[in-house]
């Protein structure tokens, strides 16, 4: 039964059969009318998901490519920037900005907490020369969602651009690019957009274009000015991943058919269920209350039991993959994703199998109690 | 989330991705060396599944086509036959045999029970002229498995052929064609063989060939003598469903890789789990103890609640399909299949969702208790 694989990691996530079927479309050229028409439709749908009137550029790269595009099109050597680092992906902004020669002021916040708006406000007020503030909407490594609306209200009063990593949030957790004053948002295909890895996407605000247009930092593949020039005719500067564009078109159609509000509500329901199940099993969550992600849940392994042992049992005995912890959290947490092509039965599997794995590693689990808590949430009783 | 569909009916059953991927092989001709080579491999593997040295003919038809081949190649008008009818599929033998002009002695046994060997023995002893005895290995409509080994030992002493419907058992429940003295066994592709509907298969013993070779009953498409002539060169008399043959080859490879003993053990484990879960939820089973099927379980709906209401909630709210009852059993039972491409997590889903559906239709269910019973079986604690 090797064909039975249950992927519950925060990316890549399972791909719906409808998307894979669409991707079987025979190859066609990217300079064709067919491509241009599809590209236009994709951008219009991506604008709805990003809730923006800005251009959306779909890049043939991972989400990190889109993040680099944000950095290389904005930063000049010596620019002062503020990075918000409360996990592996916040840390990535710091590394990237430094690589491009920025003078980085890094605000490190505790893993499991959200960035404190008061700290950000103080930093913005004390340093008027920040060119950009780099934030993470959903910090995948800690299962924390940051308050981007709050950050946007603060940053909008300054010359700095607000640049946000939405890789693991877009399509799972509501994101209002324009209303929240986000200048650049970068995302990837392999999370809540329900696609295989291979595409990134980026939005650019009017305020950001003024910086991007004047930026002379060497870049070629991720040059947003080239993207802008090409998108006027629904082209891309270089050969795009045509097949993934076809898949993205199909996945966005699925999202539109379900309705964005319903998509977010589904993610919230699944997250509530998993949190209730963890509690019922006597397990603690890594993320603080109030900033817990609706896309992924990080659960602390019980005292004396390595999360890696639980993950091994899940994989070997039930072909279920949870994510582990990164860096200092390795062995201490496991992460259950509920993003993208995920629904109630996936959580029933996750918790049903988790209970059996906990029993196997010697945790005094009450079988069925996590599933019961999940069922109560799904039935609206909790 | 329309793409999330959980099919738990006793055929058609879910098809593994590996099989669908194999079926994407570009089309090729059925009079080619490629086809002959594949056909030979399929027959050899089918012989292992049937546990027979007899030829196995794969027919481009449903399982009913294979059953009709058994009837039309054996029966002459006026032949005396014994049919064993304890459900919809036993009844089908009666109808078919009558259609071909047989004088049918029908032994009706109670739905939910197995055919009584003593009754069969008495009938065989009192009627030496039976040309054939028609039996059902796994009666899908009642979730009962009959004792074919016992029947074979009885029928072998007489001139009658033992003809067995193995449509919903082959590949799920061990079947020993030769050791059990089965003369003709007929099956279909869409159950435990993990394929879409569209193929049947049939075995013919030496004893049966003597009857088949002399039979003059009009038939063309299902003429087993034509099949026999063609298989010498790994041909089929008429155009076979090439794509389903490719799929069958892949599915049989999966079965061989898992190992037949492991396949049967998996079905037994799932059946034990579902039975334990039903008991834990206070639900009764239709089939008598001792003859319960390892391929499908028929559960009696609680007093005052229609099984159809439970099935509607499962389908509408959780996109899960259980089978209902047929004829007099409609509304009284639901059937959960655990055959073919089915494993532990499918049962966790089935029971987890069943509990929620029972809660919704007003049954005083203790959430999580069925799942707990299932987990205990899977953990070897029960």
């Amino acid at each position: 039964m090797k064909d039975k694989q249950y992927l519950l990691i925060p990316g890549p996530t399972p791909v719906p059969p409808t998307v894979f079927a669409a991707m079987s479309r025979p190859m066609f050229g990217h300079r064709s009318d067919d491509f241009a028409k599809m590209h236009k439709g994709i951008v219009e749908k991506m604008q709805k998901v990003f809730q923006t009137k800005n251009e959306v550029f779909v890049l043939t790269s991972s989400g990190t490519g889109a993040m680099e595009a944000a950095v290389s099109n904005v930063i000049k050597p010596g620019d002062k920037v503020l990075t918000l680092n409360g996990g592996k992906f916040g840390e990535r902004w710091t590394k990237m900005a430094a690589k491009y020669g920025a003078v980085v002021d890094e605000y490190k916040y505790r893993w499991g907490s959200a960035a404190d708006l008061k700290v950000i406000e103080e930093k913005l007020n004390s340093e008027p020369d920040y060119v950009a503030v780099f934030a993470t909407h959903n910090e995948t490594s800690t299962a924390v969602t940051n308050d981007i609306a709050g950050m946007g209200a603060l940053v909008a009063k300054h010359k700095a651009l607000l640049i946000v990593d939405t890789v693991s949030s877009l399509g799972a957790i509501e994101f209002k690019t324009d209303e929240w004053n986000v200048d650049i948002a970068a995302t990837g295909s392999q999370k809540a957009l329900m696609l295989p890895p291979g595409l990134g996407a980026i939005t650019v605000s009017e305020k950001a274009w003024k910086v991007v247009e004047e930026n002379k930092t060497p870049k070629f593949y991720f040059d947003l000015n080239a993207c802008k020039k090409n998108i006027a005719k629904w082209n891309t500067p270089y050969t795009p991943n045509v097949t993934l564009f076809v898949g993205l078109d199909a996945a966005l159609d699925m999202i539109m058919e379900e309705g964005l509000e319903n998509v977010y509500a589904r993610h919230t329901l699944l997250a509530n269920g998993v949190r209730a199940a963890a509690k019922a099993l006597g397990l603690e969550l890594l993320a603080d209350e109030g900033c817990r992600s609706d896309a992924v849940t990080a659960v602390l392994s019980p005292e004396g039991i390595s999360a890696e042992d639980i993950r091994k049992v899940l994989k070997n005995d039930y072909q279920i993959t949870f994510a582990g912890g990164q860096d200092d959290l390795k062995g201490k947490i496991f992460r259950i994703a509920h993003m993208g092509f995920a629904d109630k039965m996936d959580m029933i599997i996750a918790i049903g199998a988790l209970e059996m794995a906990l029993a196997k590693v010697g945790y005094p689990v009450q079988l069925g109690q996590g599933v019961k808590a999940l069922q109560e949430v799904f039935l609206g009783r909790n």
Side-chain angles (χ1 to χ4, degrees), chain A residues 102-353:
Chain A
V103 176
V104 181
D105 183 8
E106 186 181 53
Y107 160 36
K108 280 195 176 184
Y109 53 100
R110 181 176 46 80
W111 285 37
S113 72
D116 185 339
L117 294 185
K118 281 180 195 156
V119 174
I120 297 168
E121 186 170 22
E122 282 164 20
K123 283 184 173 286
L124 283 165
N125 288 338
S126 64
E127 178 52 85
D129 286 341
Y130 284 141
V131 170
V133 176
F134 290 93
T136 314
H137 185 209
N138 190 66
E139 177 54 63
T140 321
S141 61
T142 59
V144 162
T145 300
N146 278 299
D147 177 6
I148 302 297
M151 291 181 196
L154 296 174
V155 178
K157 297 177 203 159
H158 298 265
K159 80 161 196 181
L161 302 177
L162 178 59
I163 299 178
V164 184
D165 164 1
T166 67
V167 174
S168 67
S169 64
L170 196 81
I173 305 166
E174 183 154 54
F175 190 79
K176 301 184 175 185
T177 304
D178 294 355
E179 191 178 319
W180 294 352
N181 298 294
V182 174
D183 294 300
I184 297 184
T187 198
S189 57
Q190 78 283 15
K191 313 259 180 180
L193 294 179
M194 309 191 290
L195 281 181
L199 293 183
I202 189 166
T203 70
V204 184
S205 73
E206 209 172 316
K207 181 178 172 184
W209 274 122
K210 289 175 186 155
V211 177
V212 170
E213 279 163 10
E214 289 177 13
N215 182 286
K216 304 293 182 208
T217 299
K219 69 238 163 208
F220 196 91
Y221 189 67
F222 291 126
D223 185 343
L224 293 175
N225 288 302
C227 291
K228 191 179 187 179
K229 195 178 150 192
N230 274 272
I231 211 169
K233 291 187 176 177
W234 302 112
N235 271 342
T236 56
Y238 315 110
T239 312
N241 186 326
V242 174
T243 294
L244 279 178
F245 272 63
V246 174
L248 178 57
D249 197 32
L252 289 168
D253 282 343
M254 286 178 73
I255 289 170
M256 294 302 143
E257 191 187 348
E258 184 176 356
L260 275 172
E261 291 307 314
N262 297 328
V263 169
Y264 302 138
R266 171 165 53 79
H267 284 84
T268 301
L269 181 72
L270 301 186
N272 285 339
V274 170
R275 290 172 206 153
K279 190 178 172 187
L281 295 174
L283 302 173
E284 303 287 332
L285 303 181
L286 173 69
D288 297 341
E289 203 165 346
C291 66
R292 287 172 185 158
S293 169
D294 280 356
V296 57
T297 297
V299 182
L300 293 171
S301 198
E303 189 69 30
I305 295 174
S306 169
E308 295 308 293
D309 290 340
I310 296 169
R311 290 178 64 233
K312 267 179 216 154
V313 172
L314 285 167
K315 180 65 183 161
N316 295 340
D317 296 4
Y318 306 114
Q319 290 163 248
I320 286 172
T321 313
F322 288 178
Q326 293 164 291
D327 292 355
D328 288 350
L329 289 176
K330 192 168 172 73
K332 294 182 184 156
I333 62 165
F334 54 85
R335 291 173 297 151
I336 305 172
H338 29 82
M339 61 170 71
F341 186 52
D343 208 351
K344 299 183 192 75
M345 293 305 129
D346 300 296
M347 299 308 112
I348 296 267
I349 288 172
I351 302 302

Side-chain angles (χ1 to χ4, degrees), chain A residues 345-368:
Chain A
M345 293 305 129
D346 300 296
M347 299 308 112
I348 296 267
I349 288 172
I351 302 302
L354 172 61
E355 291 177 356
M356 292 193 284
L358 288 169
K360 288 197 178 192
V361 298
Y363 178 74
V365 67
Q366 284 191 286
L367 293 171

